[in-house]
Amino acid sequence: MSELVRRTYSSPLREEAARRTRAAIRGAASRLFVRDGYVSTTVRHIAEEAGVAVRTVFTAYPGGKADLFREALDEAVAGPGDSPPVPARPLVRRPGDRPATEADLIVEQVVDYGAAMLERAGGLLMTSVESSGADPDMRRFAEDDARATADNARTIAEGLYEGGWLRPDVTAEHAADVLFTLISPQVHSLLRRDCGWDVAHYRSWLSSTLRATLLR
């Protein structure tokens, strides 16, 4: 009976220790991928950053760097699973502005989701873009993300078009191209990292630019 009790208690403890180890390795890899790039980051660098042995990294992630990057990116894109969704911010209206429409609220929801996701995952997404010419795994990740972003942009644009909310000179295809471009890791990186904008400035610009460019 005592042996059964030890096994019963040790299994959850081992699982929790393994989970913490994976999280430490994943966090270390994410920091190094963003800071140093995918190609320059080795498994040994990741092990040293996480404070574990190289063998431990391969035990936790048998696929090595590509496995690590995929899981880190998926987690960053998805966000914390135990947090409730962040409600859309109220529209900031200035005297003389037209009344807010349902389309305005849709754009705000798109901006809220896109900005929050890029704050979490933009660095890793840019790592895949910047390393795509040197590594086939990174090229695949970058292409997959671009394809998913284009599909989402097309869905949003078609909804705005079918609702009659786009400007008369804006087609659904044009709106999809604008959404795909503006809500991209490249634009986010240029404004947040290179130009030094804070996140509030970025979100405000993105919201006003999308509304002015696309909506009636």
Side-chain angles (χ1 to χ4, degrees), residues 22-100:
R22 283 178 65 89
I25 294 169
R26 189 171 58 246
S30 296
R31 292 190 297 274
L32 294 179
F33 289 149
V34 172
R35 190 188 74 191
D36 301 333
Y38 182 83
V39 175
S40 297
T41 298
T42 67
V43 172
R44 181 171 298 280
H45 293 150
I46 294 169
E48 291 172 354
E49 178 78 8
V52 300
V54 170
R55 181 176 59 186
T56 303
V57 176
F58 282 112
T59 299
Y61 292 93
K65 285 203 306 179
D67 214 9
L68 257 170
F69 187 90
R70 176 77 275 170
E71 185 169 311
L73 180 59
D74 286 347
E75 182 186 59
V77 169
D82 56 352
S83 298
V86 178
R89 294 167 295 114
L91 285 173
V92 177
R93 314 304 295 169
R94 293 183 296 272
D97 282 355
R98 59 179 170 76

Side-chain angles (χ1 to χ4, degrees), residues 2 4 12 15 30 46 52 66 74 86 91-92 100 111 117 119 122 126 155 160 162 179 185 188 204:
S2 61
L4 175 61
E15 291 172 1
S30 296
I46 294 169
V52 300
D74 286 347
V86 178
L91 285 173
V92 177
V111 169
M117 186 276 290
E119 287 297 305
M126 284 304 299
T155 298
L160 291 171
E162 291 167 5
L179 286 160
H188 176 265
S204 176

